[in-house]
Amino acid sequence: TRGIENCLFVYSMESWNRITDKLNSLPFTKKDARNFVRFFMSGATNVELDKQGRVNVTAPLVQYANLVKDCVVIGTGDRLEIWSQESWDDFFNSTKDSMSDIAENLFQESVDL
């Protein structure tokens, strides 16, 4: 499905079911909840691996993530993210210098990373 920051999110069915359970619990009376669910769910596609272990990414998702040539695939815990090389380089270069501050803000107690 569409991810955030113009990448794609790839989930196992187990993880996807947990995500959709959370989305279904959001209050439909809240505009932000409705808009996020529409955005996120409307890009979802169920795919299976072919004999060579590949998946077919739909044209709208290719366009959304600007997947033109080289791609970067990263694991982020419960999902994979697929980025265009250019978008990944932009993201990485714009955030790498602030990672120490981000880690400090996210992890109040000492965490070995």
Side-chain angles (χ1 to χ4, degrees):
T1 192
R2 286 184 209 91
I4 301 170
E5 289 112 6
N6 291 84
C7 68
L8 303 180
F9 288 174
V10 180
Y11 293 96
S12 68
M13 280 308 296
E14 182 180 336
S15 292
W16 179 253
N17 290 334
R18 283 194 303 270
I19 295 290
T20 57
D21 286 346
K22 289 179 185 178
L23 292 176
N24 288 333
S25 71
L26 294 174
F28 72 91
T29 56
K30 299 284 186 180
K31 185 176 183 176
D32 285 345
R34 292 190 311 271
N35 287 342
F36 182 80
V37 170
R38 287 175 185 139
F39 171 83
F40 193 74
M41 298 297 287
S42 67
T45 304
N46 189 20
V47 297
E48 295 197 19
L49 299 175
D50 69 10
K51 292 177 184 177
Q52 295 180 330
R54 301 173 301 186
V55 296
N56 185 31
V57 180
T58 64
L61 293 177
V62 168
Q63 182 178 7
Y64 171 77
N66 195 31
L67 303 178
V68 178
K69 186 174 179 175
D70 294 330
C71 299
V72 175
V73 179
I74 62 170
T76 59
D78 70 338
R79 69 180 178 272
L80 296 176
E81 293 183 356
I82 304 173
W83 293 73
S84 71
Q85 182 71 59
E86 182 180 358
S87 294
W88 173 254
D89 290 345
D90 290 346
F91 166 79
F92 186 85
N93 291 327
S94 69
T95 59
K96 68 181 177 184
D97 293 335
S98 60
M99 280 300 110
S100 179
D101 292 335
I102 290 171
E104 185 175 324
N105 291 333
L106 287 176
F107 304 105
Q108 298 300 319
E109 297 179 21
S110 176
V111 176
D112 294 327
L113 295 177

